Amino acid sequence: MSTRTDPVVVIVPGLRDHVEDHWQTLLADRLTEAGRTVRTVPPLTEDSLSRAARVAALDKVVSEAEGPVVLVAHSAGVITTVHWAEGHTAAQVLGALLVTPPDFGTPLPEGYPTPEVLGEHGWTPVPRTPLPFPSVVAASANDPLGTAEQVASLARDWGGALVELGEVGHLNPASGYGPWPRAEELLRDVENG
């Protein structure tokens, strides 16, 4: 059962936004059912590739949260989060769970934007400075969107604790993940510092 001291959980989706059977959506449902306050950054209705618009949407959700916040970001949501942290006050953010960040500097699989398109929309370069809050960075050994080595390098630069998940692909429905119970365990780690 939730207490008044529980931080607000802010879900930061990737470029595909809200996906019904994604672990973030299922986590939000479970936490809400348990009495937690959960806010999800809403999908963009215009220029969905705009990094600036996604950062502004995250800032709006964080600014409207009452009390402390923990961020739960996946894929491009991780990159949105680090861009947001670079340019905004993060005082109310207790920490972040940053799951399978992509490598936007190298070509992604077919169906994803090219590095050039991502650059045109402000995604690169990805900030590499230490985050102003603690973080857990979860890496997959076989993520088609970013190598384990690249994610480990990002975790070091951001000052995050690296958690190696094994071979979980991009940890999305296409990789066989809807429910991901470990998310709650890692979220507790973030909340407990």
Side-chain angles (χ1 to χ4, degrees), residues 105-125:
T106 61
L108 300 174
E110 187 175 329
Y112 288 90
T114 65
E116 295 77 22
V117 168
L118 291 165
E120 290 167 9
H121 286 84
W123 291 96
T124 56

Side-chain angles (χ1 to χ4, degrees), residues 6-80:
D6 284 338
V8 174
V9 176
V10 174
I11 304 290
V12 189
L15 293 178
R16 303 214 192 278
D17 289 311
H18 179 84
V19 176
E20 196 61 40
D21 54 349
H22 194 282
W23 68 265
Q24 282 183 305
T25 306
L26 300 171
L27 174 66
D29 292 345
R30 283 192 309 275
L31 293 174
T32 300
E33 288 168 7
R36 296 288 304 266
T37 301
V38 179
R39 301 286 180 259
T40 299
V41 176
L44 296 180
T45 57
E46 296 178 17
D47 197 9
S48 65
L49 263 184
S50 169
R51 190 262 315 153
R54 287 184 181 268
V55 167
L58 171 57
D59 189 54
K60 183 175 188 317
V61 172
V62 171
S63 298
E64 292 175 352
E66 295 182 16
V69 167
V70 292
L71 305 172
V72 177
H74 176 256
S75 191
V78 174
I79 309 305
T80 300

Side-chain angles (χ1 to χ4, degrees), residues 1-9 35-37 66-70 92 94 191-192:
M1 185 55 133
S2 174
T3 67
R4 292 181 58 118
T5 59
D6 284 338
V8 174
V9 176
R36 296 288 304 266
T37 301
E66 295 182 16
V69 167
V70 292
Q92 75 192 84
L94 298 179
E191 292 176 328
N192 295 326

